[in-house]
Amino acid sequence: MKLLVIFIVHAICIPCFSFDVPGKDLPLTLDYYKSTCPTVFDVVKKEMECMVKEDPRNAAILIRLHFHDCFVQGCDGSVLLDETETFQGEKKASPNINSLKGYKIVDRIKNIIESECPVVVSCADLLTISARDATMLVGGPYWDVPVGRKDSKTAGYEFATSNIPTPEEGLISIISKFHNQGLSVEDMVALSGAHTIGKAQCRNFRSRIYGDFHLTSALNPVSETYLASLREICPASSGEGGSNVTAMDNVTPDLFDNSIYHTLMRGEGLLNSDQEMYTSMFGIQTRRIVSKYGGSGGFNFFEQFSKSMVKMGNILNSESFVDGEVRRSCRFVNT
């Protein structure tokens, strides 16, 4: 009941941001499905409401799935393709295997849309819209989603392995990976703020809590208590508890807000990749941005997150507009 109240309250006061599609040559528009499938946004919103009320973590799962899609070949639904005897997908790449979820949620939405508008709405668009609604439903901002993407017939296993930042990666390397996608340092810090919801596996934060956590949190007694609780969840031995999970934001784990930046400023970031934005010797610019997003009641964060999500969603696979399709099933190319 308490969770439902949170949803209702934030549905009333969620900031709404609207942006023009950057680049006049992009084949995306806000009204792409106006005549061919006018109900698509309503269907996605309704289903996401059900999924998030069932488990708030589903919001983080869909946002992350969208992120991993866009960083490999662009936002083309390639991450959704199943592996077959003759086709190597992205699901078994090291950043995705035993980590990415949400495929069944996308399947559910796709099945409903297919019954209303057969072979009209791409899986890439459904995933992009779902990520926006997921954000909004846990208290985050709303933004207009340009649509008209096509689904790729290919996948990029190697690119999934090399393009996607890892939880233990250093700041300079992560900045480089975002830059390679046309995303700025400001975009990187804003998009990383999605970690204000969701959970991380022990294997992804073990080195952090048995490494420099003490140093970044300055031996604060409260931080020491938090660290002790993390070590109960995640044993030091690499052979134990690797799949155990805990919230990345230990203050408001089910609410999309700017709490994650307060966590970083206290030196209590769960993931090394996040904490580096504030404490790395190379993080002069990122430290300033983290502090900015931690203030202003979260408005600066919400505004930039919305812009950055649109920008990321506009990373396109140009080949998919030549040789792509609208899949009937998000798991397989059409036959």
Side-chain angles (χ1 to χ4, degrees), residues 65-77:
L65 191 59
H66 176 47
F67 178 94
H68 281 230
D69 183 38
C70 293
F71 265 57
V72 181
Q73 299 188 165
C75 311
D76 61 359

Side-chain angles (χ1 to χ4, degrees), residues 160-206:
T161 303
S162 61
N163 289 9
I164 298 172
T166 64
E168 297 181 358
E169 200 156 353
L171 181 62
I172 299 301
S173 177
I174 294 175
I175 289 175
S176 176
K177 287 185 176 182
F178 273 78
H179 177 75
N180 291 340
Q181 300 296 334
L183 298 171
S184 67
V185 173
E186 189 101 19
D187 294 319
M188 182 202 75
V189 180
L191 292 171
S192 297
H195 290 166
T196 193
I197 54 175
K199 298 182 178 181
Q201 295 181 344
C202 165
R203 60 173 59 93
N204 291 326
F205 62 85
R206 178 181 279 122

Side-chain angles (χ1 to χ4, degrees), residues 99-249:
S99 178
L100 283 190
K101 299 180 180 180
Y103 304 115
K104 291 183 179 179
I105 296 175
V106 178
D107 290 341
R108 172 173 168 167
I109 298 172
K110 178 63 171 174
N111 289 338
I112 296 172
I113 291 296
E114 282 298 300
S115 67
E116 296 189 11
C117 317
V119 202
V120 171
V121 182
S122 68
C123 299
D125 275 346
L126 288 182
L127 185 53
T128 308
I129 299 168
S130 298
R132 187 276 309 276
D133 289 346
T135 302
M136 181 184 67
L137 287 166
V138 287
Y142 171 95
W143 62 90
D144 291 321
V145 178
V147 288
R149 298 165 187 80
K150 296 299 181 183
D151 295 323
S152 172
K153 295 179 181 178
T154 64
Y157 178 92
E158 293 81 7
F159 291 125
T161 303
S162 61
N163 289 9
I164 298 172
T166 64
E168 297 181 358
E169 200 156 353
L171 181 62
I172 299 301
S173 177
I174 294 175
I175 289 175
S176 176
K177 287 185 176 182
F178 273 78
H179 177 75
N180 291 340
Q181 300 296 334
L183 298 171
S184 67
V185 173
E186 189 101 19
D187 294 319
M188 182 202 75
V189 180
L191 292 171
S192 297
H195 290 166
T196 193
I197 54 175
K199 298 182 178 181
Q201 295 181 344
C202 165
R203 60 173 59 93
N204 291 326
F205 62 85
R206 178 181 279 122
S207 63
R208 164 86 174 119
I209 64 174
Y210 292 99
D212 66 350
F213 192 100
H214 281 101
L215 181 63
T216 60
S217 60
L219 300 178
N220 183 310
V222 176
S223 298
E224 286 295 295
T225 300
Y226 176 45
L227 177 59
S229 68
L230 291 175
R231 288 180 171 178
E232 287 184 6
I233 296 169
C234 185
S237 172
S238 61
E240 299 178 27
S243 60
N244 293 349
V245 297
T246 192
M248 287 181 277
D249 176 356

Side-chain angles (χ1 to χ4, degrees), residues 263-315:
T263 298
L264 300 183
M265 288 188 283
R266 292 193 303 270
E268 296 179 353
L270 185 66
L271 303 180
N272 180 72
S273 55
D274 286 345
Q275 189 60 52
E276 283 247 319
M277 293 190 295
Y278 194 74
T279 53
S280 170
M281 62 182 294
F282 303 109
I284 297 174
Q285 182 181 6
T286 56
R287 188 178 305 115
R288 175 185 57 79
I289 298 171
V290 167
S291 298
K292 180 177 71 171
Y293 291 167
S296 70
F299 180 85
N300 288 332
F301 166 46
F302 275 25
E303 182 178 36
Q304 186 59 49
F305 185 81
S306 301
K307 291 179 180 179
S308 297
M309 285 294 283
V310 173
K311 190 174 178 180
M312 185 181 75
N314 288 343
I315 302 172

Side-chain angles (χ1 to χ4, degrees), residues 29-89:
T29 63
L30 299 178
D31 59 355
Y32 185 84
Y33 296 114
K34 183 177 181 179
S35 61
T36 56
C37 194
T39 61
V40 59
F41 286 97
D42 291 333
V43 170
V44 174
K45 181 180 179 182
K46 180 180 178 181
E47 292 306 309
M48 284 308 303
E49 285 175 345
C50 294
M51 292 295 99
V52 173
K53 287 179 181 178
E54 180 179 302
D55 184 351
R57 191 184 177 193
N58 284 332
I61 286 171
L62 265 295
I63 295 170
R64 186 161 181 260
L65 191 59
H66 176 47
F67 178 94
H68 281 230
D69 183 38
C70 293
F71 265 57
V72 181
Q73 299 188 165
C75 311
D76 61 359
S78 59
V79 73
L80 303 172
L81 289 168
D82 279 353
E83 190 163 302
T84 68
E85 291 183 358
T86 57
F87 180 86
Q88 185 177 39

